[in-house]
Amino acid sequence: MALKHAVLAALLDGEYSGYQLAKAFDIGVANFWHALPQQLYAELTRLEAEGLVAGRQVVQETRPNKRLFHVTDAGLAELERFAAGSAKPSFIRDDLLVKVQAVDRIDAGPVIEQLDERARIAAAKAEVLGKLLVRLRGDRDEADFLAHGTRIGPYLTCLRGLGFERETREWCERIADVLRARIAAPQRP
Amino acid sequence: MALKHAVLAALLDGEYSGYQLAKAFDIGVANFWHALPQQLYAELTRLEAEGLVAGRQVVQETRPNKRLFHVTDAGLAELERFAAGSAKPSFIRDDLLVKVQAVDRIDAGPVIEQLDERARIAAAKAEVLGKLLVRLRGDRDEADFLAHGTRIGPYLTCLRGLGFERETREWCERIADVLRARIAAPQRP
DNA sequence: TTCCCATACTCAAGAATCTGACTAATCATA
DNA sequence: TATGATTAGTCAGATTCTTGAGTATGGGAA
């Protein structure tokens, strides 16, 4: 039941429809979790049945109707309970890393291409996150915002996301260079 | 079918039993994937049935018998095919981040404790990885090893793991400090 | 000498996640 | 004026991952 708390945490910032939530979790603006739309709709249904979120129907003229959800008091209490419990460490699980692990026993060409591609994706995401940080803190500087802002949770997770994407980019670029150099130069072990 | 290729990649460095593999994937020495013993035994059985790995029985006196596995030519070809295909970007999925996302709507105390704890774990793992790097490159320096070493895959994924753990540690320490400062100082938004 | 830990594995059941297809309307673009 | 993208969801099925229990032996510590 991990997605459950991720959804509750995401809904703390206001009312969202399943569709909006799905975008945040799919594109990865929500830097603390990832999930597909189908999962989110199902989870929202369960959460509503448990009374942890409440939804209201919004009738729209030009678009299909939607349901906006918010966290109830019971939902906040559930989050509180969750936060007090212990968390297991998170693990890396990445196809690209598996390929790099095997890289000197297979053709390095496609792996290098994918490292370049991943570096580009990480750079783009880092930029998005950088802008999001500026938007979240408004006109204040970071230290002031973190010391006195009223809602810093999303900012803090965003900082983690930015660090992660930067690291990813640097690593990808460096490894791609190392592999290119090995192809260019003769191997004398 | 992602674990499949992770197991194949892990077995490239020699022969391992399910038990040894399980330790590497559980403790996280294998920095490119994580899995529980049950999964690994099941996966090895499947891989053997597909002819991608081959095992041999090793009879032991003082310990239960074990089966050591290695990758077959077909297994290497499968890895090759996997590496040539496209990889989806990896996403963060972490309970602790969910808690931080919610931190200013719930009691921050337990979250701070868990950040401290996670920082310690990350620091310890970073140290283990640092030592592993030294062991992997032997008496060479890094640049020389990466340019001319014969088996650099594990070293490269280890570098990623080290970067990740360092980032994790820095972020956890910083966030814990921010949250402590907010508890100590009055909130004037 | 009793108890726990490490080695080495197996089985079953359940929860979580992913893949892929479907409905149905409006809006922008070529 | 087709075509595709966007909004807003639903359903079924497969795969993957996690939880929990169980088997069996030997070694070391209390």
Side-chain angles (χ1 to χ4, degrees):
Chain A
M1 298 268 179
L3 175 58
K4 173 174 171 172
H5 301 103
V7 170
L8 287 173
L11 285 177
L12 285 177
D13 289 307
E15 282 186 321
Y16 293 98
S17 67
Y19 190 77
Q20 286 173 287
L21 219 48
K23 283 205 138 185
F25 276 76
D26 193 31
I27 312 289
V29 178
N31 274 92
F32 52 97
W33 207 264
H34 166 255
L36 298 171
Q38 297 91 320
Q39 263 179 287
L40 291 164
Y41 286 116
E43 194 62 53
L44 283 169
T45 303
R46 269 195 297 274
L47 285 169
E48 196 180 24
E50 288 180 68
L52 303 181
V53 306
R56 62 186 180 93
Q57 182 87 2
V58 173
V59 180
Q60 299 186 116
E61 303 275 292
T62 81
R63 294 272 160 218
N65 296 341
K66 62 182 173 184
R67 290 169 46 89
L68 293 180
F69 293 92
H70 66 267
V71 178
T72 63
D73 289 346
L76 196 58
E78 173 58 32
L79 256 184
E80 187 90 49
R81 194 160 45 247
F82 166 70
S86 69
K88 33 204 156 158
S90 72
F91 291 102
I92 293 181
R93 217 171 238 183
D94 188 340
D95 278 359
L96 187 48
L97 280 174
V98 173
K99 296 176 187 185
V100 169
Q101 173 83 12
V103 77
D104 40 24
R105 299 291 300 276
I106 57 174
D107 180 14
V111 179
I112 293 172
E113 273 176 52
Q114 288 172 63
L115 284 164
D116 287 339
E117 168 73 358
R118 182 65 71 84
R120 276 194 298 277
I121 292 171
K125 205 165 161 200
E127 212 180 313
V128 169
L129 291 175
K131 283 175 186 164
L132 184 55
L133 284 175
V134 173
R135 218 180 70 209
L136 285 172
R137 71 171 175 258
D139 47 5
R140 312 174 180 211
D141 68 11
E142 191 168 85
D144 180 51
F145 175 71
L146 289 181
H148 310 297
T150 48
R151 180 81 179 105
I152 61 165
Y155 195 93
L156 298 175
T157 55
C158 199
L159 277 177
R160 182 69 187 94
L162 182 59
F164 179 79
E165 297 301 338
R166 278 190 183 147
E167 262 283 320
T168 299
R169 186 190 143 208
E170 274 165 41
W171 180 81
C172 285
E173 286 175 353
R174 187 175 168 209
I175 301 319
D177 284 347
V178 164
L179 294 177
R180 267 190 284 265
R182 285 168 69 94
I183 287 174
Q187 218 87 334
R188 42 164 174 94
Chain B
M1 297 268 179
L3 175 58
K4 173 174 172 172
H5 300 104
V7 170
L8 288 173
L11 285 176
L12 286 177
D13 290 307
E15 282 187 320
Y16 292 98
S17 67
Y19 189 78
Q20 286 174 286
L21 219 48
K23 282 204 138 184
F25 276 77
D26 193 32
I27 313 290
V29 177
N31 274 92
F32 51 99
W33 208 264
H34 168 256
L36 297 171
Q38 295 93 320
Q39 258 180 291
L40 290 165
Y41 286 116
E43 195 61 52
L44 283 169
T45 304
R46 269 196 295 275
L47 285 170
E48 197 181 23
E50 289 179 69
L52 304 181
V53 306
R56 62 185 182 92
Q57 183 87 2
V58 174
V59 179
Q60 300 186 117
E61 302 276 291
T62 81
R63 295 269 160 222
N65 296 342
K66 62 182 172 183
R67 287 166 51 79
L68 294 181
F69 294 93
H70 64 268
V71 178
T72 63
D73 289 346
L76 197 58
E78 173 59 31
L79 256 184
E80 187 90 48
R81 193 159 47 247
F82 166 69
S86 70
K88 32 203 157 155
S90 71
F91 291 102
I92 293 180
R93 218 172 237 180
D94 188 340
D95 278 0
L96 187 49
L97 280 175
V98 173
K99 296 177 187 186
V100 168
Q101 173 81 12
V103 78
D104 38 24
R105 300 290 300 276
I106 57 175
D107 179 14
V111 179
I112 293 172
E113 272 176 52
Q114 287 173 63
L115 284 165
D116 287 338
E117 168 73 357
R118 182 67 70 85
R120 276 194 298 276
I121 292 171
K125 204 164 163 200
E127 210 180 314
V128 169
L129 291 175
K131 282 175 185 162
L132 184 55
L133 284 174
V134 172
R135 220 180 67 211
L136 285 172
R137 71 169 176 258
D139 47 5
R140 312 175 182 212
D141 67 11
E142 189 168 88
D144 180 52
F145 175 71
L146 288 180
H148 311 296
T150 49
R151 181 81 178 104
I152 61 165
Y155 194 91
L156 298 175
T157 54
C158 200
L159 278 177
R160 182 71 187 93
L162 182 59
F164 179 78
E165 297 301 336
R166 278 189 183 148
E167 262 283 320
T168 299
R169 186 191 142 208
E170 275 165 40
W171 179 81
C172 285
E173 285 175 354
R174 188 176 168 209
I175 302 318
D177 284 347
V178 165
L179 294 177
R180 267 189 283 264
R182 284 168 68 93
I183 288 174
Q187 218 86 334
R188 41 163 175 94

